[in-house]
Amino acid sequence: MTEIKLFEQSSLMFQKLIDGLAFPKNPDTVVFDASFSDFIVPEYLFNYYGYRKIFTISDRNYSDNESILSVPFRGDFLKTIMGHKVDLFISIGSYFGISPVFDAVHAINRVLVAGGKFVITLYPDIFDEQGRDILNGLSLISEIPVKEKFLRWGTTFKNALKNIFMKVDEEDVLTKMEVSHIIYLFNMDTYRRFLFQDEAERERFFKPISHLNIDYNISWKVVKGFKC
């Protein structure tokens, strides 16, 4: 798959995720985006919702859109987001650098104004058309506990949120994704460092499906809530 094709697939992935979620309609909503999407998410939010101020974490790029304000990544999630006050915090597509988890959740609470909302995708689950758990199957065959890591991460994050916020809801957003794009997604830095020790381990994990030219169903685990 070419770089252009991969970018198009990533754009479509983020757009489908956003379309499956509910965001405030008020264009004066101030947003902090920690999706690391190469500006795909903030651009889509600007075009679809008309938000006039969107802070987005970026380690090297800047947007020509004056409503999208690039926040340099300081190598530490907490240092990067502190000092902002926003109505909406989002992390779309799953970013496992939101850590240490309990400190990160406290930081999200501090940057949100009263009544501010958060929407965070925790991880993607993978199923075939018959409903079989592909992610768990790959974990068992390769003996690499990817599914277990996702479940642990998701449980820890949800518990941390519920310790701070009064109301935390969970939902699934369903999309489809080609096998080649799934492999590309898991090779992104935000996934790879969390899941695999090296490239050889990642290749071993996906070996049973890497030759397939099909789509799988992706069930994104999402948490959302607001600050009282």
Side-chain angles (χ1 to χ4, degrees), residues 8-215:
E8 290 174 349
Q9 290 279 356
S10 295
S11 297
L12 187 61
M13 177 194 78
F14 284 114
Q15 289 170 16
K16 285 182 176 179
L17 267 171
I18 293 170
D19 289 344
L21 298 165
F23 293 104
K25 300 290 188 181
N26 185 353
D28 291 325
T29 299
V30 179
V31 182
F32 195 102
D33 165 50
S35 301
F36 289 81
S37 66
D38 198 19
F39 295 104
I40 295 172
V41 168
E43 288 284 358
Y44 192 70
L45 290 175
F46 172 79
N47 290 329
Y48 192 79
Y49 289 95
Y51 295 145
R52 299 191 181 101
K53 183 176 287 187
I54 306 171
F55 296 101
T56 188
I57 299 176
S58 175
D59 55 1
R60 58 183 177 275
N61 297 317
Y62 292 90
S63 172
D64 294 331
N65 189 326
E66 62 182 16
S67 293
I68 299 174
L69 307 174
S70 181
V71 178
F73 184 59
R74 301 180 182 179
D76 180 287
F77 175 77
L78 307 183
K79 292 179 181 177
T80 301
I81 73 169
M82 292 309 295
H84 295 86
K85 280 294 181 184
V86 301
D87 305 295
L88 175 64
F89 175 91
I90 64 172
S91 180
I92 306 298
S94 304
Y95 170 57
F96 300 102
I98 303 181
S99 62
V101 169
F102 287 94
D103 290 341
V105 169
H106 277 285
I108 293 170
N109 181 56
R110 286 196 292 271
V111 302
L112 286 173
V113 300
K117 299 181 179 180
F118 63 85
V119 179
I120 300 168
T121 56
L122 296 175
Y123 63 89
D125 227 338
I126 306 171
F127 299 93
D128 67 10
E129 291 299 327
Q130 288 72 44
R132 289 175 294 205
D133 190 334
I134 300 300
L135 191 62
N136 188 57
L138 293 173
S139 298
L140 292 173
I141 293 170
S142 65
E143 298 183 335
I144 301 169
V146 169
K147 181 68 178 267
E148 182 182 341
K149 287 182 179 180
F150 278 164
L151 290 173
R152 254 197 333 262
W153 158 263
T155 299
T156 300
F157 210 101
K158 285 184 290 186
N159 288 341
L161 288 169
K162 290 175 182 178
N163 283 338
I164 300 296
F165 296 96
M166 292 292 292
K167 184 175 176 58
V168 178
D169 295 322
E170 304 173 37
E171 65 179 71
D172 293 335
V173 175
L174 302 178
T175 64
K176 282 185 176 291
M177 195 180 294
E178 294 178 13
V179 168
S180 57
H181 188 219
I182 293 171
I183 294 173
Y184 168 77
L185 175 69
F186 278 62
N187 193 42
M188 292 173 64
D189 194 48
T190 52
Y191 280 77
R192 187 179 61 247
R193 289 188 301 168
F194 175 72
L195 298 174
F196 307 111
Q197 294 182 5
D198 51 36
E199 179 66 15
E201 189 171 83
R202 186 187 67 86
E203 290 181 357
R204 177 160 61 91
F205 181 79
F206 282 110
K207 186 176 180 180
I209 65 170
S210 60
H211 63 289
L212 299 177
N213 184 27
I214 61 173
D215 290 353

